[in-house]
Amino acid sequence: MREEQNKKTSQKVIKMLRKRWVVPAIYLVSAAVILTGALWYQYSNAPTPTKTGTTVDTREPEAIPASKPEEKLTYPVSKDATVQVKSHYYDDTASKDEQQASLIQMDNNTFTINTGMDLVDKSGKEFDVTAALSGTVTKAQKDAELGYVVVVESGNGLVSYYQSLKSVSVEPGTKVSQGQVLGVAGTGLIGKENGIHVHYELRKDGVAINPEKYQGQDVSSIISSENTKSETKDSNTMNTSGNVSDDKEEGSSNTDSGGNKIQQ
């Protein structure tokens, strides 16, 4: 009985092997098994990589700060101050009325041209005076006629003068940044007609320049413009000899941009 059953099974196997697709299928399966075994053996026996001692820094690189934008000249008051220009810089090219308004009274009969500008609060109250440009304080002291005076050097020949202050909050040698409080506006014997104010001057190489003209301009532009102006002036200067005729009328005198007194 068992022999007969085995015989039937053998016949079925032989019959199946006679089919065309059986043998190729067996080959493919066998090849897949062999290839899988070879890959597994190769992977399991691969050497473990050793550390080389190089450390990989996964931290974000530190941001490089962008270059600081160049300063632009500002008014010597805080941004929220409600101030106005009471007396303007004396401009040789301005109208006679504008020039008259730019005279500063020294005493009852003597005036001098304004080599800066005078700022007052619209309410007439005191206000903080701030640095129009950053720099180093070279002077901070009280003057009998000008009130407290603060001088700040900003380099490249640019120097700022703050006068008529009631008090100061800096001292010589202090490095100040633009907008930093220097003191409080006040009064002085000179310019007292303006009430509580700050008298601000900007000078380039010792020569007063118009601070209103350069408001909002880059420092480099101010320096370049003044250097060009100075070079042009020097090139147009002619050496003369002999006496200069004096055609001044008695009781009055001409003025120049250096701040000479005017008799009236």
Side-chain angles (χ1 to χ4, degrees):
M1 188 69 155
R2 180 176 297 177
E3 291 179 358
E4 186 178 352
Q5 187 175 1
N6 291 337
K7 186 177 180 181
K8 290 181 179 181
T9 302
S10 299
Q11 290 177 352
K12 289 180 180 181
V13 171
I14 293 171
K15 187 176 181 181
M16 182 177 296
L17 291 174
R18 288 177 179 176
K19 294 182 178 180
R20 294 181 179 181
W21 58 269
V22 174
V23 175
I26 293 173
Y27 285 152
L28 289 176
V29 172
S30 299
V33 171
I34 294 171
L35 181 61
T36 301
L39 292 175
W40 176 84
Y41 178 81
Q42 183 179 3
Y43 178 78
S44 61
N45 289 277
T48 303
T50 58
K51 295 182 179 180
T52 61
T54 302
T55 302
V56 179
D57 190 355
T58 59
R59 296 175 298 175
E60 291 291 333
E62 293 183 4
I64 300 176
S67 58
K68 185 178 180 180
E70 187 176 5
E71 284 186 354
K72 300 177 184 295
L73 181 66
T74 63
Y75 287 105
V77 294
S78 58
K79 293 181 179 180
D80 57 348
T82 56
V83 299
Q84 60 185 7
V85 181
K86 180 75 172 184
S87 180
H88 298 270
Y89 176 88
Y90 185 92
D91 188 349
D92 293 332
T93 63
S95 66
K96 290 184 178 180
D97 289 340
E98 290 174 331
Q99 290 180 347
Q100 186 70 25
S102 297
L103 298 179
I104 298 176
Q105 187 170 2
M106 303 289 288
D107 54 38
N108 292 334
N109 297 313
T110 307
F111 293 76
T112 183
I113 62 175
N114 193 350
T115 52
M117 62 179 178
D118 297 271
L119 297 165
V120 300
D121 189 280
K122 294 180 180 180
S123 65
K125 298 180 180 179
E126 298 176 354
F127 57 92
D128 287 336
V129 176
T130 60
L133 291 173
S134 61
T136 302
V137 177
T138 58
K139 182 178 180 179
Q141 65 184 44
K142 188 173 184 179
D143 183 270
E145 295 182 331
L146 303 175
Y148 277 97
V149 179
V150 174
V151 179
V152 177
E153 292 188 0
S154 300
N156 295 303
L158 284 181
V159 182
S160 294
Y161 291 78
Y162 308 83
Q163 301 171 4
S164 302
L165 304 183
K166 176 183 178 181
S167 62
V168 295
S169 54
V170 293
E171 57 185 18
T174 304
K175 292 187 181 298
V176 295
S177 57
Q178 188 177 49
Q180 182 176 334
V181 175
L182 304 176
V184 178
T187 58
L189 292 179
I190 298 177
K192 60 183 178 181
E193 67 275 10
N194 289 327
I196 299 173
H197 71 287
V198 58
H199 175 77
Y200 174 67
E201 292 187 14
L202 180 63
R203 300 181 189 179
K204 174 68 171 67
D205 297 327
V207 179
I209 62 178
N210 189 349
E212 294 181 76
K213 172 184 175 181
Y214 292 115
Q215 285 299 313
Q217 293 194 28
D218 294 334
V219 170
S220 60
S221 297
I222 300 174
I223 295 171
S224 176
S225 178
E226 287 301 316
N227 286 343
T228 301
K229 185 189 299 183
S230 178
E231 291 171 1
T232 302
K233 183 178 180 180
D234 291 341
S235 64
N236 293 331
T237 300
M238 298 178 62
N239 294 325
T240 60
S241 60
N243 296 327
V244 178
S245 62
D246 188 356
D247 58 356
K248 300 176 184 177
E249 297 181 1
E250 185 178 354
S252 66
S253 65
N254 295 328
T255 64
D256 57 29
S257 60
N260 296 322
K261 296 181 181 178
I262 302 174
Q263 298 290 338
Q264 288 191 343

